[in-house]
Amino acid sequence: MIPSPSLNPSGDATAICFALVLLIPFAAAGLALINTGLGRTRSAAHMMMASLCVFSAAALAYFICGFSWQGFAGGYAHILMLGGKEWNWIGAGPFFLRGMDPGNASVTLAATFGMLSTGVAVLIPLGSGADRWRLGAACASAALMAGLTFPLFAHWAWSGGWLAQLGANYGLGRGFVDVGGAGAIQAVGGLTALSIAWILGPRRGKFASDGMPSAIPGHNSVYVLLGCLLTLLGWWGLNGAGAILFGGVEAGRVAYIAINTLLSAAASAGAAAVLTRARYGRPDASLTANGWVGGLAASSAACAFVVPAASVVIGILAGALVTFSVEWFEARMRVDDPGGAISAHGLGGMWGLLSVALFARIPVNEGGASSGAGQWLAQVIGIATLLGFVLPLTYGLNWLLNRVMPQRVAPEGERQGMDLYELGAGAYPELATHADEFTQHRT
């Protein structure tokens, strides 16, 4: 075990980074509202309850072992010698945050950022499991992601792990770059969402006997669009704090990162609205919201190293990708993803990783910038790792969990609604009450 190279933000950067970290819970609140609005009325309270519970389960699992395995730049890690080079594979810190120096700002900020980031990541699969995912199983799945899947990839990308070492070991630009979590948060969450959708299967009535999908619209577009605005605040925190902690970016660049983040989201939502208007005659609110989130996810990897015009291009392509992939997963792959999480977070995040090689100018040393095939290859290796390792890992873990704790609710629960079946009360009790009142005659 040897310590990895450290990143130590200055005093001003520490204060700004802490303020940005405090914005991250807005991303969680926004995703909770989006997932709730895109689900059915009779599962709304269950989705909000599940959002709070999985966030809590993730924080506890990350506290127990997640941060130990993610580690931090400058912390101890397990090293393998391959081809005469040192490869950093996993953190080697103590469990339960033992031994953490409360005065070391870089460590405590990394732990806080990681704990909140994994809370955002575990909310992503809730969108794909809406209306049929049991509360207890969702919490257990969140604990698996926060305790193993997320910290493992986050260590490789953020904490001096082998993906980040591709630059030093093989001269591949600066190595794998993902300052805001397009891979570690968004793609990991999106691939877990795909695994959950596969394991749970589609909602009853979603696909006809001939395989054609039926529309099951979300119940509250107001929640969805309000959630989109809240996610912007959270992404400013994710991208800004991540760039300072893991990208070595100076604090004065935070406003520039915020501009790039907003432009990517706005361009992506605009592209989704225009495309759905052209295809269906009217803009689609849910797909536009998915486009907005997909633009945010795509912005996270390169937000600190691209010009604003490039952010607009990244967003436009993200919006087109999300719009077409939602339909492709549903109509071609028969995947029921009520929240569009697989497309918005999974594909949006991976497109963001690739956009680093296309648009970013990243300082490698004094006066130098990474470009060309080297950075391309580093980003492609990161994406291949997500698809070739993280996806099988997260699917395998959830498949095993499903053998021990069945993840899908009983047919009666889906028919009755998750609110009444698992919580004993609905989100909108006045609907039933008023229906009875209006059928009674006044005397």
Side-chain angles (χ1 to χ4, degrees):
M1 296 187 301
I2 63 171
S4 56
S6 60
L7 288 173
N8 294 308
S10 66
D12 289 343
T14 296
I16 293 174
C17 185
F18 177 68
L20 291 168
V21 166
L22 295 181
L23 293 177
I24 296 176
F26 284 105
L31 292 180
L33 283 172
I34 291 171
N35 290 337
T36 300
L38 291 175
R40 286 170 162 152
T41 305
R42 58 180 183 263
S43 298
H46 185 271
M47 179 59 75
M48 293 302 292
M49 178 69 171
S51 299
L52 182 61
C53 289
V54 299
F55 194 93
S56 302
L60 292 172
Y62 189 83
F63 156 70
I64 293 169
C65 61
F67 185 67
S68 171
W69 289 335
Q70 177 183 331
F72 56 93
Y76 285 95
H78 293 289
I79 306 296
L80 293 179
M81 293 295 299
L82 295 174
K85 300 181 184 295
E86 294 180 348
W87 295 96
N88 185 333
W89 287 93
I90 193 168
F95 289 170
F96 301 101
L97 300 182
R98 289 182 293 111
M100 176 182 289
D101 179 6
N104 188 332
S106 62
V107 177
T108 54
L109 281 172
T112 308
F113 182 92
M115 189 174 293
L116 293 174
S117 295
T118 193
V120 172
V122 298
L123 285 167
I124 296 171
L126 284 180
S128 66
D131 300 323
R132 63 205 189 280
W133 198 8
R134 294 176 56 238
L135 179 60
C139 291
S141 177
L144 288 174
M145 190 200 296
L148 179 59
T149 315
F150 170 85
L152 188 60
F153 191 83
H155 178 79
W156 297 343
W158 289 341
S159 303
W162 70 271
L163 284 175
Q165 290 178 305
L166 289 172
N169 283 343
Y170 283 116
L172 301 184
R174 186 169 163 172
F176 181 71
V177 172
D178 180 21
V179 295
I185 302 171
Q186 308 306 321
V188 169
L191 293 174
T192 302
L194 177 58
S195 301
I196 293 300
W198 275 337
I199 291 169
L200 293 177
R203 291 169 290 178
R204 285 171 173 80
K206 178 61 181 178
F207 294 102
S209 57
D210 61 357
M212 289 299 294
S214 302
I216 304 179
H219 83 279
N220 196 319
S221 295
V222 176
Y223 286 177
V224 175
L225 299 179
L226 174 60
C228 288
L229 297 178
L230 291 176
T231 56
L232 176 63
L233 294 175
W235 251 264
W236 280 341
L238 286 169
N239 289 352
I244 293 172
L245 286 172
F246 310 124
V249 173
E250 64 275 9
R253 204 172 180 84
V254 166
Y256 191 78
I257 293 169
I259 291 171
N260 283 336
T261 303
L262 174 58
L263 287 175
S264 181
S268 186
V274 169
L275 281 172
T276 54
R277 171 73 167 78
R279 298 186 69 197
Y280 310 127
R282 294 180 177 84
D284 184 275
S286 63
L287 286 175
T288 301
N290 286 149
W292 173 273
V293 176
L296 290 173
S299 75
S300 291
C303 55
F305 307 116
V306 295
V307 298
S311 293
V312 172
V313 176
I314 291 170
I316 290 172
L317 293 176
L321 176 66
V322 169
T323 300
F324 287 111
S325 66
V326 166
E327 180 180 342
W328 183 79
F329 272 110
E330 184 175 280
R332 301 294 182 183
M333 296 292 290
R334 305 293 188 264
V335 173
D336 185 12
D337 178 14
I342 302 166
S343 299
H345 299 276
L347 293 182
M350 285 187 280
W351 157 238
L353 294 175
L354 190 60
S355 72
V356 172
L358 286 169
F359 301 107
R361 298 289 294 174
I362 309 170
V364 177
N365 46 44
E366 275 189 53
S370 66
S371 59
Q375 193 64 46
W376 261 100
L377 188 54
Q379 298 305 114
V380 170
I381 290 173
I383 295 171
T385 302
L386 286 163
L387 294 173
F389 180 83
V390 172
L391 177 57
L393 174 64
T394 191
Y395 180 86
L397 290 173
N398 282 285
W399 182 87
L400 290 172
L401 176 63
N402 193 44
R403 304 278 75 79
V404 178
M405 177 186 293
Q407 302 215 39
R408 182 159 182 157
V409 72
E412 171 62 22
E414 192 173 348
R415 185 197 65 79
Q416 185 179 8
M418 301 294 286
D419 288 357
L420 292 176
Y421 189 78
E422 287 217 305
L423 302 182
Y428 309 105
E430 71 277 4
L431 293 179
T433 302
H434 290 173
D436 292 338
E437 288 174 352
F438 292 143
T439 59
Q440 296 175 355
H441 297 285
R442 292 182 180 274
T443 58

